[in-house]
Amino acid sequence: MSGDPVEPKIYKEAIVNVDKDVLNEFRAMYPEVEESAARRFLAARGGDVKKAKAMMDTHLAWRKKALPISETAVRKQLDTNMFFVKGVDREGHPLLHFIGPNHVSKNFSIEKTTAMMTYVLEEGIKDMLPGIEKFTVLLFLPSGTETDKTLVQAASKLFGENYPERMYKVWVFPTGMLSRGIWSIIKVFLDPVTAKKVTLLSGGRQPPELKEHVDPTNLLKIFGGEVNFNPCPQLKPK
């Protein structure tokens, strides 16, 4: 009936599956850690409690040292619009953007850049819709994107050691020699499970396949959507 309140959409990801007894054993070691986090760390180590414990201990020590990060501390890096969350895909996963042309390695140290990325990830996780734990990543790598192996290695380490099982899908575009070359570098640092989540999209900077997974109301105009935010002013919406 017209005027009736619209029920909010409920999203639900598949739970990261691990053996129940193994999960209980692991959670007993870390009563302060949420079950979802315990599942992710166990899954990242193939259900091996000993390996997952070593990973979790390292992660908790890192969190104690690295967090919290204030917005003020990374404001300059955030203003580059190189790495940010905006919108969700059709399944409710936040869209984590990497805008290749906005990354200039000489402008900031790798420590400052990874601190900014950590801040973005932490804020993105806080804002996730109920039932959602993973990001969909958009890697925009047009001609002119810097091939920065140091950043690739640091970002892979950040995700792999501290945000396991946080990637739902990764879309790389536009597809060309540059993006394929950068992807070949990135792939070296990814585990096989994560690598399988990556898809190279054809169709320039507005690949038609992207709209199959992201509603235009959540997609930037420069990528063929309706969101009036341009993180890369040198590129005009088509």
Side-chain angles (χ1 to χ4, degrees), residues 17-237:
N17 193 26
V18 294
D19 181 84
K20 184 178 179 180
D21 291 337
V22 171
L23 177 62
N24 289 338
E25 178 186 352
F26 189 60
R27 288 203 72 198
M29 300 176 184
Y30 304 98
E32 76 282 10
V33 172
E34 294 182 357
E35 180 179 328
S36 58
R39 286 179 178 275
R40 288 195 304 273
F41 276 77
L42 275 169
R45 290 298 178 262
D48 187 310
V49 173
K50 185 176 180 180
K51 291 180 180 179
K53 182 181 185 304
M55 184 184 188
M56 181 64 81
D57 287 344
T58 300
H59 167 70
L60 293 176
W62 170 83
R63 290 192 71 87
K64 186 175 181 180
K65 180 181 179 180
L67 301 176
I69 298 171
S70 70
E71 180 180 350
T72 303
V74 293
R75 185 69 264 169
K76 290 182 179 179
Q77 291 75 30
L78 290 170
D79 286 344
T80 66
N81 290 322
M82 180 265 282
F83 191 72
F84 59 90
V85 174
K86 201 167 191 66
V88 296
D89 66 14
R90 292 185 184 273
E91 297 175 73
H93 303 97
L95 296 176
L96 184 60
H97 298 71
F98 176 83
I99 308 298
N102 292 352
H103 172 61
V104 182
S105 61
K106 67 180 181 181
N107 289 349
F108 302 107
S109 68
I110 191 62
E111 290 78 17
K112 282 287 189 180
T113 299
T114 52
M116 177 271 290
M117 296 176 76
T118 301
Y119 174 84
V120 170
L121 289 169
E122 289 292 317
E123 293 300 305
I125 291 168
K126 289 177 188 176
D127 293 338
M128 283 180 171
L129 297 167
I132 297 296
E133 296 182 4
K134 299 181 181 181
F135 294 97
T136 286
V137 182
L138 303 184
L139 290 181
F140 181 55
L141 306 175
S143 176
T145 298
E146 179 181 349
T147 304
D148 186 352
K149 292 183 180 179
T150 302
L151 176 63
V152 170
Q153 188 170 9
S156 298
K157 178 181 174 68
L158 179 66
F159 269 94
E161 294 183 0
N162 298 298
Y163 299 97
E165 299 294 322
R166 283 291 191 184
M167 284 189 188
Y168 179 60
K169 291 179 180 177
V170 182
W171 305 103
V172 183
F173 65 100
T175 303
M177 290 184 63
L178 178 68
S179 59
R180 291 183 186 279
I182 294 177
W183 164 235
S184 68
I185 295 171
I186 295 174
K187 192 174 182 179
V188 172
F189 298 100
L190 299 181
D191 63 85
V193 174
T194 301
K196 288 180 180 179
K197 298 177 181 179
V198 178
T199 303
L200 275 63
L201 302 179
S202 59
R205 61 181 165 96
Q206 296 185 354
E209 189 177 349
L210 201 53
K211 290 184 180 179
E212 295 177 15
H213 304 279
V214 182
D215 188 270
T217 59
N218 276 291
L219 191 62
L220 302 185
K221 278 189 175 182
I222 60 169
F223 300 150
E226 300 173 9
V227 177
N228 192 24
F229 169 68
N230 189 353
C232 205
Q234 61 268 42
L235 297 177
K236 304 298 181 183

